């Protein structure tokens, strides 16, 4: 927030100062008090608009000191310190404010909530967690306290506590948190996987079951279920989970292919048919190229040529040209000079388009739908904006 925006935020305090004080009495002294406070507020706003930050801070501090009943003024001043990065001053102000005898229970809870926010910004997560737990114990400011606790547990990678806090926040606020909760349980399952070689006796399946309950239509959960089914030798379950992932969002076809390759290596019935289905569903060409790799040269060439005749693609063309010399040599014979020359020319073109395909493959393959951050692999939490489940594969044609 810049200083002009802050001035706009503080303007209502100046405008309402007369009303708030006038409610306490209509005496002449009160009127003088109104004029004095209004004048001071507008002086402070003028300092902010002129980017005279230190003068504005000093003036608002005097207002807060002179008018101890001005709870909102002191909160605004603490927020101002926090936005400026002056966390020690913000903490000191909010600590002093939270112990004032004149505060109501609600005001004290708000002050503690602000103090907890100061601690979070300062990286004092233990102290912040203790404050928010205290607010939950007295049932004050529970929703914002739980929201803060979710962030703290997420930073601490305590996924079970994060899921519990998110569940509690969902009950209190009514805000849907299923997708976030599902990701927390998925993370908990992965931690169990890393800590336990034998997942059959671990909490992996339990955590995955909770993730499914939280968000039945999660692509991530479907992919994890497919991988787990392969480990258990359940080919039909793996196929069904992969199909469910693609039905949820066809953009994730590329993420199913490594798992589908494992399924094919097990000679699972119907795996080729499933890959053919993904070829038809995908807007890009990843599944098509994967299918071509499962065929002999002649069949693969025919498949890629059929796609090129419908929709030109540099990626598909590069792979098609790589297959052409083999086809040309096998059909014309090794001693046919004309065929060899053709094969050599095609080989040169193949090298050129292969280089083009490699250049294309080095580009970004995934992007966050919330902040636009691009990357070359799937992440379930954006490294930039920290949002969950917003990164999706790009359509590569």
């Amino acid at each position: 927030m810049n200083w002009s925006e802050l001035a706009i935020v503080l303007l209502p305090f100046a405008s309402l100062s007369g009303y708030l004080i006038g409610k306490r009495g209509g005496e002449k002294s009160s009127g003088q008090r109104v004029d004095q406070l209004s004048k001071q507020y507008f002086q402070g706003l003028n300092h902010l608009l002129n980017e005279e930050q230190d003068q504005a801070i000093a003036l608002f501090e005097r207002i807060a000191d002179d008018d101890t009943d001005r709870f909102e003024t002191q909160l605004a001043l603490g927020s101002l310190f926090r936005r400026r990065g002056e966390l020690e001053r913000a903490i000191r102000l909010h600590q002093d404010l939270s112990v004032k005898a004149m505060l109501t229970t609600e005001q004290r809870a708000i002050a503690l909530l602000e103090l907890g926010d100061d601690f979070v910004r300062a990286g004092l997560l233990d102290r912040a967690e203790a404050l928010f737990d205290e607010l939950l114990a007295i049932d004050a400011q529970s929703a914002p306290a739980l929201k803060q606790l979710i962030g703290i547990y997420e930073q601490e990678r305590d996924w079970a506590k994060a899921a519990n806090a998110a569940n509690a926040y969902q009950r209190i606020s009514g805000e849907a948190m299923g997708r976030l909760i599902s990701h927390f349980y998925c993370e908990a399952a992965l931690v169990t996987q890393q800590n336990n070689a034998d997942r059959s006796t671990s909490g992996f399946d339990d955590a995955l079951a909770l993730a499914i309950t939280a968000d039945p239509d999660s692509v991530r959960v479907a992919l994890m279920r497919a991988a787990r089914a392969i480990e258990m030798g359940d080919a039909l379950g793996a196929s069904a989970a992969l199909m469910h992932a693609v039905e949820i969002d066809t953009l994730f076809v590329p993420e199913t292919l490594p798992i589908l390759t494992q399924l094919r290596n097990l000679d699972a019935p119907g795996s080729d048919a499933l890959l053919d289905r993904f070829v038809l569903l995908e807007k890009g060409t990843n599944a098509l190229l994967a299918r071509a790799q499962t065929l002999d040269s002649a069949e693969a060439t025919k498949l890629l040529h059929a796609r090129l005749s419908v929709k030109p693609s540099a990626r598909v063309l590069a792979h098609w040209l790589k297959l052409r010399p083999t086809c040309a040599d096998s059909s014309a014979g090794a001693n046919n000079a004309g065929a060899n020359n053709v094969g050599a020319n095609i080989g040169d073109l193949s090298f050129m388009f292969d280089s083009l395909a490699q250049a294309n493959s080095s580009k970004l393959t995934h992007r966050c739908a919330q902040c636009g951050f691009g990357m070359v692999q799937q992440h379930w939490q954006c490294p930039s904006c920290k949002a969950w489940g917003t990164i999706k594969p790009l359509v590569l044609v």
Side-chain angles (χ1 to χ4, degrees), residues 32-275:
Q32 292 173 343
R33 180 71 167 151
V34 170
D35 293 339
Q36 181 183 3
L37 279 176
S38 297
K39 182 178 180 180
Q40 288 176 326
Y41 270 112
F42 282 110
Q43 285 176 345
L45 295 177
N46 187 57
H47 286 314
L48 290 177
L49 293 173
N50 290 329
E51 298 187 358
E52 297 168 345
Q53 303 173 10
D54 293 334
Q55 294 93 322
I57 289 288
L59 182 57
F60 284 120
E61 281 185 311
R62 286 200 300 274
I63 294 174
D65 289 338
D66 294 341
D67 189 13
T68 55
D69 291 338
R70 297 288 292 167
F71 176 74
E72 296 85 357
T73 303
Q74 293 172 309
L75 282 183
L77 185 59
S79 297
L80 178 57
F81 287 148
R82 189 166 59 230
R83 288 190 176 92
R84 279 170 54 97
E86 299 182 47
L87 296 174
E88 289 186 6
R89 298 179 74 180
I91 290 172
R92 187 168 59 251
L93 186 150
H94 287 134
Q95 281 179 330
D96 293 341
L97 183 59
S98 66
V99 297
K100 287 185 179 296
M102 53 79 182
L103 294 184
T104 65
T105 301
E106 181 181 359
Q107 287 176 326
R108 181 166 287 103
I110 293 173
L112 289 175
L113 189 66
E114 292 292 319
L115 179 58
D117 196 359
D118 297 336
F119 287 148
V120 170
R121 301 290 182 91
L124 304 173
L125 299 185
D126 290 344
R127 298 179 68 178
E129 183 179 346
L131 270 182
F132 297 135
D133 284 338
E134 179 183 342
L135 288 173
L136 292 180
I138 62 176
D139 195 24
Q141 297 295 319
S142 296
L146 283 167
K147 198 68 174 287
Q148 289 277 20
L149 283 171
I150 293 171
I152 290 174
Y153 296 142
E154 189 176 323
Q155 290 186 60
E156 295 175 342
R157 304 183 69 79
D158 192 333
W159 304 116
K161 284 188 176 180
N164 290 337
N167 270 308
Y169 178 80
Q170 181 174 251
R171 288 194 301 270
I172 291 175
S173 68
E175 180 181 344
M177 302 290 286
R179 186 176 71 174
L180 181 62
I181 294 169
S182 180
H183 280 292
F184 288 158
Y185 283 130
C186 286
E187 292 293 328
L190 293 178
V191 171
T192 305
Q193 173 186 356
Q194 295 167 1
N195 296 338
N196 246 318
D198 182 12
R199 283 188 275 175
S200 62
T201 58
S202 71
F204 181 91
D205 291 326
D206 292 338
L208 190 57
L210 291 171
I212 296 171
T213 301
D215 186 7
D217 291 325
S218 165
V219 173
R220 183 183 190 182
V221 170
L223 293 174
M224 290 179 68
R225 288 178 59 198
R228 181 61 167 151
I230 288 178
E231 290 179 358
M232 302 298 293
D234 181 7
L236 290 178
S239 297
L242 289 175
M243 192 66 235
H244 183 50
V246 173
E247 288 173 344
I248 295 169
D249 193 337
T250 57
L251 288 177
F252 281 89
V253 165
E255 301 303 317
T256 68
L257 298 180
I259 303 175
L260 187 51
T261 298
Q262 297 180 48
L263 197 60
R264 292 192 71 261
N265 291 339
L266 296 176
D267 294 325
S271 56
D272 284 342
L274 187 61
L275 183 53

